[in-house]
PDB file of all heavy atoms in Angstrom:
ATOM      1  N   ALA Y  10      95.830 121.748 100.580  1.00 84.00           N
ATOM      2  CA  ALA Y  10      97.164 121.357 100.133  1.00 84.00           C
ATOM      3  C   ALA Y  10      98.001 120.820 101.294  1.00 84.00           C
ATOM      4  O   ALA Y  10      98.660 119.784 101.172  1.00 84.00           O
ATOM      5  CB  ALA Y  10      97.859 122.547  99.479  1.00 84.00           C
ATOM      6  N   LEU Y  33      84.130 127.911 106.585  1.00 80.00           N
ATOM      7  CA  LEU Y  33      84.755 129.185 106.935  1.00 80.00           C
ATOM      8  C   LEU Y  33      83.781 130.345 106.760  1.00 80.00           C
ATOM      9  O   LEU Y  33      83.807 131.309 107.524  1.00 80.00           O
ATOM     10  CB  LEU Y  33      86.002 129.410 106.067  1.00 80.00           C
ATOM     11  CG  LEU Y  33      87.160 128.428 106.270  1.00 80.00           C
ATOM     12  CD1 LEU Y  33      88.273 128.729 105.288  1.00 80.00           C
ATOM     13  CD2 LEU Y  33      87.678 128.501 107.700  1.00 80.00           C
ATOM     14  N   VAL Y  75     114.745 128.119  96.141  1.00 94.00           N
ATOM     15  CA  VAL Y  75     115.842 128.398  95.209  1.00 94.00           C
ATOM     16  C   VAL Y  75     116.793 129.433  95.798  1.00 94.00           C
ATOM     17  O   VAL Y  75     118.028 129.277  95.737  1.00 94.00           O
ATOM     18  CB  VAL Y  75     115.291 128.875  93.856  1.00 94.00           C
ATOM     19  CG1 VAL Y  75     116.418 129.434  92.980  1.00 94.00           C
ATOM     20  CG2 VAL Y  75     114.589 127.742  93.137  1.00 94.00           C
ATOM     21  N   GLU Y  90     112.334 108.528  89.424  1.00 84.00           N
ATOM     22  CA  GLU Y  90     111.182 108.505  88.520  1.00 84.00           C
ATOM     23  C   GLU Y  90     110.345 107.262  88.772  1.00 84.00           C
ATOM     24  O   GLU Y  90     110.841 106.216  89.174  1.00 84.00           O
ATOM     25  CB  GLU Y  90     111.630 108.565  87.054  1.00 84.00           C
ATOM     26  CG  GLU Y  90     112.644 107.519  86.614  1.00 84.00           C
ATOM     27  CD  GLU Y  90     112.014 106.198  86.233  1.00 84.00           C
ATOM     28  OE1 GLU Y  90     110.796 106.187  85.927  1.00 84.00           O
ATOM     29  OE2 GLU Y  90     112.723 105.188  86.254  1.00 84.00           O
ATOM     30  N   VAL Y 107     122.970 122.779 103.197  1.00 92.00           N
ATOM     31  CA  VAL Y 107     123.168 123.175 104.596  1.00 92.00           C
ATOM     32  C   VAL Y 107     122.877 124.662 104.725  1.00 92.00           C
ATOM     33  O   VAL Y 107     123.372 125.473 103.950  1.00 92.00           O
ATOM     34  CB  VAL Y 107     124.598 122.865 105.064  1.00 92.00           C
ATOM     35  CG1 VAL Y 107     124.822 123.387 106.489  1.00 92.00           C
ATOM     36  CG2 VAL Y 107     124.869 121.369 105.019  1.00 92.00           C
ATOM     37  N   THR Y 111     121.685 131.796 113.005  1.00 76.00           N
ATOM     38  CA  THR Y 111     122.395 132.288 114.180  1.00 76.00           C
ATOM     39  C   THR Y 111     122.577 131.166 115.198  1.00 76.00           C
ATOM     40  O   THR Y 111     121.632 130.724 115.846  1.00 76.00           O
ATOM     41  CB  THR Y 111     121.622 133.451 114.829  1.00 76.00           C
ATOM     42  OG1 THR Y 111     121.373 134.453 113.854  1.00 76.00           O
ATOM     43  CG2 THR Y 111     122.436 134.045 115.975  1.00 76.00           C
ATOM     44  N   ASP Y 127     110.081 112.252  78.584  1.00 87.00           N
ATOM     45  CA  ASP Y 127     109.494 111.573  77.425  1.00 87.00           C
ATOM     46  C   ASP Y 127     109.744 110.073  77.481  1.00 87.00           C
ATOM     47  O   ASP Y 127     108.942 109.278  76.988  1.00 87.00           O
ATOM     48  CB  ASP Y 127     110.071 112.146  76.124  1.00 87.00           C
ATOM     49  CG  ASP Y 127     109.692 113.605  75.933  1.00 87.00           C
ATOM     50  OD1 ASP Y 127     108.606 113.994  76.393  1.00 87.00           O
ATOM     51  OD2 ASP Y 127     110.476 114.352  75.327  1.00 87.00           O
ATOM     52  N   GLU Y 145     114.250 126.624  87.137  1.00 92.00           N
ATOM     53  CA  GLU Y 145     113.816 127.046  88.464  1.00 92.00           C
ATOM     54  C   GLU Y 145     114.714 128.125  89.043  1.00 92.00           C
ATOM     55  O   GLU Y 145     114.337 128.794  90.009  1.00 92.00           O
ATOM     56  CB  GLU Y 145     113.768 125.843  89.413  1.00 92.00           C
ATOM     57  CG  GLU Y 145     112.719 124.805  89.062  1.00 92.00           C
ATOM     58  CD  GLU Y 145     111.300 125.328  89.215  1.00 92.00           C
ATOM     59  OE1 GLU Y 145     111.078 126.183  90.090  1.00 92.00           O
ATOM     60  OE2 GLU Y 145     110.420 124.887  88.455  1.00 92.00           O
ATOM     61  N   ALA Y 188     118.250 106.440 101.390  1.00 63.00           N
ATOM     62  CA  ALA Y 188     116.914 105.923 101.687  1.00 63.00           C
ATOM     63  C   ALA Y 188     116.615 104.700 100.830  1.00 63.00           C
ATOM     64  O   ALA Y 188     116.001 103.731 101.290  1.00 63.00           O
ATOM     65  CB  ALA Y 188     115.867 107.011 101.447  1.00 63.00           C
ATOM     66  N   MET Y 208     109.731  91.030 113.175  1.00 67.00           N
ATOM     67  CA  MET Y 208     108.781  92.076 112.802  1.00 67.00           C
ATOM     68  C   MET Y 208     107.384  91.750 113.328  1.00 67.00           C
ATOM     69  O   MET Y 208     106.654  92.634 113.778  1.00 67.00           O
ATOM     70  CB  MET Y 208     108.751  92.237 111.281  1.00 67.00           C
ATOM     71  CG  MET Y 208     110.060  92.756 110.681  1.00 67.00           C
ATOM     72  SD  MET Y 208     110.531  94.375 111.353  1.00 67.00           S
ATOM     73  CE  MET Y 208     109.227  95.400 110.710  1.00 67.00           C
ATOM     74  N   THR Y 210     106.730  90.010 116.017  1.00 83.00           N
ATOM     75  CA  THR Y 210     106.776  90.212 117.465  1.00 83.00           C
ATOM     76  C   THR Y 210     106.630  91.694 117.810  1.00 83.00           C
ATOM     77  O   THR Y 210     105.866  92.068 118.714  1.00 83.00           O
ATOM     78  CB  THR Y 210     108.098  89.680 118.038  1.00 83.00           C
ATOM     79  OG1 THR Y 210     108.229  88.291 117.730  1.00 83.00           O
ATOM     80  CG2 THR Y 210     108.148  89.865 119.548  1.00 83.00           C
TER      81      THR Y 210
END
Side-chain angles (χ1 to χ4, degrees):
L33 295 177
V75 169
E90 54 84 21
V107 175
T111 306
D127 296 329
E145 294 294 329
M208 294 301 293
T210 302

